[in-house]
Amino acid sequence: MAILNGTEIKVYSSSTNNLVAYAQNCTLNVNHSPREITNKESNGNKEILEGLRDFSIDIDGAYAWTDASGTALTNGADDLINSNILTRTAVSFIFGDTQATSDVSYSGSGYITSVSLTGGYEDTATYSLTIEGTGALTQTVT
């Protein structure tokens, strides 16, 4: 069994294939909400069937406006706020490792539902954001 190195799991913009800038942690959440069908013939036992599925991605990382050379970022937290939240535009993403053979990645589309920018005293400025998925989440094996 091969244990994955978490550093290999990344979030990319699928429209530009750029990494989300300075991301340090990312989490893909996938949920299934079954529907209850319990009735008088269930003999006091809860019964369920398939239901709605949903997914979201949580990302946090270092907050920056420029890269190491001083060039303005085009894939940072500010850019995501400006290009996706203020304009109410969906973001397409790829979650996983797209570089190695036999690795799994997930792709989909969603809306950024929250962004938090934090600047602590004598500490690295950070951001965190959540993308709530819309439609299907697709699994790809490279």
Side-chain angles (χ1 to χ4, degrees), residues 102-118:
S102 299
D103 278 351
V104 175
S105 64
Y106 296 89
S107 60
S109 182
Y111 290 90
I112 298 175
T113 56
S114 68
V115 176
S116 176
L117 307 173
T118 305

Side-chain angles (χ1 to χ4, degrees), residues 39-122:
N39 58 64
K40 292 181 180 185
E41 295 177 3
S42 298
N43 295 321
N45 298 302
K46 181 178 179 177
E47 295 184 73
I48 59 173
L49 285 175
E50 81 293 336
L52 293 175
R53 295 165 300 201
D54 65 84
F55 61 93
S56 65
I57 293 181
D58 298 314
I59 305 169
D60 65 71
Y63 180 47
W65 295 295
T66 61
D67 64 17
S69 68
T71 304
L73 291 174
T74 59
N75 60 336
D78 285 334
D79 302 298
L80 294 172
I81 292 171
N82 189 48
S83 62
N84 297 103
I85 289 185
L86 298 179
T87 61
R88 296 189 232 180
T89 304
V91 59
S92 296
F93 63 85
I94 300 169
F95 179 96
D97 184 0
T98 62
Q99 310 302 318
T101 304
S102 299
D103 278 351
V104 175
S105 64
Y106 296 89
S107 60
S109 182
Y111 290 90
I112 298 175
T113 56
S114 68
V115 176
S116 176
L117 307 173
T118 305
Y121 180 71
E122 293 296 321

Side-chain angles (χ1 to χ4, degrees), residues 117-136:
L117 307 173
T118 305
Y121 180 71
E122 293 296 321
D123 200 2
T124 301
T126 60
Y127 71 89
S128 61
L129 65 88
T130 299
I131 302 169
E132 187 172 335
T134 182

Side-chain angles (χ1 to χ4, degrees), residues 11-13 18-23 59 75-77 80 127 129:
V11 179
Y12 300 85
S13 165
N18 287 338
L19 283 170
V20 175
Y22 301 111
I59 305 169
N75 60 336
L80 294 172
Y127 71 89
L129 65 88

